[in-house]
Amino acid sequence: SASPALADDDDSKCKLRLDAVPSQWKISDVDLFESETAFGSFDLNLENEGSAPCSVRLTLDTLGSPFGLTGGVSGRRVGYSIYDHESGADLSPKNGRSQRQNRGVIVVPPRSQRIARFDVAVPNNFDTDGTFRQQLRIEAEGNGDSSSAQRTLTLAVDVNSSDVHRIVVTPSS
């Protein structure tokens, strides 16, 4: 298990740590034959171990990979949306990185922590069953002299094909 991402070592200023538990954000039991969008909510803990407040903006990026979940045999990417639960801002890294204008400032007081919740929506555009993934980096970018920290995690969707939804035609005699 990876240790939480930690920013600066100087205790006299912002000292931010990000911790995503679990490190894989997974939406399970998506049915291949259903047309509904799959949803999940996930938390990121921002902990300030310093003696000054941390003012940060959260950014998601795809670590240089094209945007979209991949898996299955076709290699086709499936889009998704990630929203900041508190503000409703769309943080989806559709061009590889979250758009700057969509990010609100999060303030973490000295020697305290704050939870950032993310809502994930994945339209059911899957062409096969399996696990579809995208590795993401969440970065807390400081304003001015605030520190920054980052955490890498995997967004995953488990897609199942349920036999209940298949139509079987039996010839009559």
Side-chain angles (χ1 to χ4, degrees), residues 1-2 4 18-25 41-45 151 153:
S1 166
L18 302 180
D19 198 10
V21 179
S23 61
Q24 177 168 277
W25 290 355
S41 291
F42 306 96
D43 292 338
L44 177 72
N45 186 46
R151 157 72 55 214
L153 60 88

Side-chain angles (χ1 to χ4, degrees), residues 57-63 67 80 82-84 89-104 118 136-139 141:
R57 293 180 188 271
L58 296 178
T59 300
L60 282 78
D61 76 64
T62 61
L63 298 163
F67 172 75
Y80 55 88
I82 300 179
Y83 300 95
D84 175 330
D90 185 349
L91 299 176
S92 309
K94 292 186 174 129
N95 293 314
R97 189 167 174 84
S98 301
Q99 298 299 307
R100 275 197 180 287
Q101 67 271 23
N102 292 348
R103 303 174 300 141
F118 298 89
L136 297 171
R137 175 175 45 221
I138 299 178
E139 185 174 3
E141 298 175 309

Side-chain angles (χ1 to χ4, degrees), residues 24-27 30 32 68-80 122 124-135 154-160:
Q24 177 168 277
W25 290 355
K26 183 185 279 190
I27 299 174
V30 174
L32 179 63
L69 301 164
T70 57
V73 292
S74 72
R76 187 173 66 86
R77 293 191 174 270
V78 176
Y80 55 88
V122 183
N124 193 342
N125 294 327
F126 300 99
D127 55 4
T128 185
D129 58 356
T131 301
F132 293 77
R133 296 181 175 89
Q134 173 134 52
Q135 195 168 32
T154 301
L155 177 61
V157 177
D158 280 337
V159 178
N160 304 308

